[in-house]
Amino acid sequence: HTSHGSVKLVWQRSRLFDKEATTTFFKLIETDVGLRCEDVVVTPAKRVRPNPMNTVELLKSASKVLGIGPHETMRAAEQLYLSGCVSYPRTESTAYPTSFDVMATVAVHRGSPLAGVASYVTELLRDGYVKPRAGHDAGDHPPITPVAMARDLQAGSVGFRIYDLIVRHFLASVSPDAQFENSKIHFVSEPSMERFYVSSTREIDPGFLKIFLNYTPPGSSGNWHGNGDDESSDGKEENFTEVHGVPEFEKGQVYRMTNLRVKQGQTTAPGYLTESELISKMEKFGIGTDASIPTR
């Protein structure tokens, strides 16, 4: 407990499966005089922009973000292709050809009716795009790209939502990485010397996430759409507990404990695979192709 309020800490031992041992530790910590801040570790981190979109990524994103199944997604994407709005939607490649004109394709959406897209494109054209990630060239067709502005789609229709998804993914793929700052504060109880910690995330620059669907900044409810990679400054993935609004702690300072409790729980079996996860597994183990996955 600090002058700024209370913070829920995580016990370093995580879980114990022995009730007697747990009770012993609980009674030991109950007699402690406080928690000393042992260390404050601040690490820059980033969420990397997505690769250009291939068919499997389209199917996964449509299912996960929009709740639209593979068969319906491909039917809508093919209609968008026939209408001249997007490139050929059946492709395994996630690498643009060297001749691809990124700036011209971005400029196509300067007057887009999609929410927030026109202003984002104006910023991207002003500040300059970021070179797309290398991706994988499967030697078939280029990644799925919005090549024209779709004006006649009915708002809320499947075609409109799939087109919106493709546009935002394309813009995200040529946008800056998102920058964050992870903090992990370590505590030790005195005199029992049991260790606790709390971790938090602070947004520095949302980068490409500003244009993604369903994105809300840290501290708000919502999800990040897409499969961007989370990387720390040394390239290793960080797995921080999403705790926000954590007050500043001073190394060496002792803080008061205000609430201790033992929670009983039980292990549970893993849940069922989502449709998006199933598609990922099919891709990983070579089950089906970009053409056959929607029909399986």
Side-chain angles (χ1 to χ4, degrees):
H1 182 83
T2 74
S3 59
H4 300 288
S6 299
V7 175
K8 185 178 180 181
L9 304 183
V10 179
W11 190 24
Q12 194 75 45
R13 294 180 187 270
S14 187
R15 301 179 182 88
L16 290 184
F17 293 90
D18 187 306
K19 183 178 180 180
E20 186 176 343
T22 303
T23 303
T24 300
F25 277 116
F26 180 76
K27 291 181 177 179
L28 190 65
I29 297 169
E30 261 190 324
T31 63
D32 284 331
V33 296
L35 292 164
R36 176 170 50 83
C37 181
E38 193 174 40
D39 199 10
V40 177
V41 180
V42 179
T43 310
K46 64 181 178 179
R47 188 170 175 86
V48 181
R49 63 196 181 282
N51 275 322
M53 177 181 275
N54 63 8
T55 304
V56 171
E57 181 57 34
L58 170 63
L59 299 179
K60 287 162 54 179
S61 294
S63 176
K64 182 178 180 180
V65 181
L66 304 178
I68 301 175
H71 182 70
E72 198 172 7
T73 295
M74 285 311 302
R75 186 168 58 185
E78 287 168 352
Q79 187 57 52
L80 289 168
Y81 167 68
L82 294 174
S83 301
C85 296
V86 304
S87 61
Y88 191 63
R90 295 189 182 275
T91 175
E92 296 180 12
S93 295
T94 58
Y96 293 121
T98 54
S99 60
F100 180 63
D101 191 337
V102 175
M103 191 64 85
T105 308
V106 170
V108 165
H109 306 281
R110 186 185 280 114
S112 174
L114 301 177
V117 169
S119 59
Y120 186 85
V121 165
T122 299
E123 291 179 17
L124 204 58
L125 292 172
R126 181 193 66 210
D127 301 335
Y129 71 89
V130 175
K131 184 179 179 181
R133 296 169 66 184
H136 167 66
D137 184 359
D140 51 359
H141 298 277
I144 304 170
T145 308
V147 294
M149 197 185 306
R151 297 183 179 276
D152 300 325
L153 295 173
Q154 181 181 353
S157 66
V158 172
F160 178 91
R161 296 169 71 200
I162 293 299
Y163 178 74
D164 189 26
L165 180 72
I166 292 172
V167 169
R168 293 176 191 276
H169 191 105
F170 162 69
L171 293 175
S173 73
V174 295
S175 295
D177 296 338
Q179 305 293 331
F180 296 89
E181 185 178 81
N182 290 334
S183 297
K184 194 167 186 178
I185 304 102
H186 301 264
F187 299 87
V188 59
S189 60
E190 296 180 334
S192 71
M193 298 300 288
E194 283 300 303
R195 283 178 163 75
F196 301 83
Y197 70 88
V198 63
S199 55
S200 65
T201 300
R202 184 170 72 92
E203 180 183 276
I204 305 299
D205 182 355
F208 75 91
L209 291 171
K210 285 192 295 184
I211 199 62
F212 255 18
L213 288 172
N214 293 0
Y215 170 67
T216 52
S220 306
S221 59
N223 299 308
W224 285 333
H225 145 227
N227 64 340
D229 302 317
D230 290 312
E231 295 182 359
S232 64
S233 57
D234 59 5
K236 296 180 181 178
E237 184 172 330
E238 292 286 348
N239 183 21
F240 270 63
T241 305
E242 289 294 323
V243 178
H244 311 284
V246 173
E248 290 188 7
F249 289 95
E250 184 179 342
K251 186 175 179 178
Q253 183 70 35
V254 176
Y255 298 91
R256 183 165 53 93
M257 292 182 285
T258 56
N259 185 27
L260 289 170
R261 66 188 180 95
V262 175
K263 182 179 179 181
Q264 183 176 347
Q266 61 185 28
T267 58
T268 57
Y272 294 110
L273 286 175
T274 64
E275 190 172 60
S276 178
E277 290 169 340
L278 176 60
I279 294 170
S280 295
K281 295 289 186 184
M282 293 176 72
E283 180 188 30
K284 180 179 179 180
F285 294 105
I287 302 172
T289 65
D290 56 347
S292 65
I293 285 176
T295 65
R296 289 180 178 242

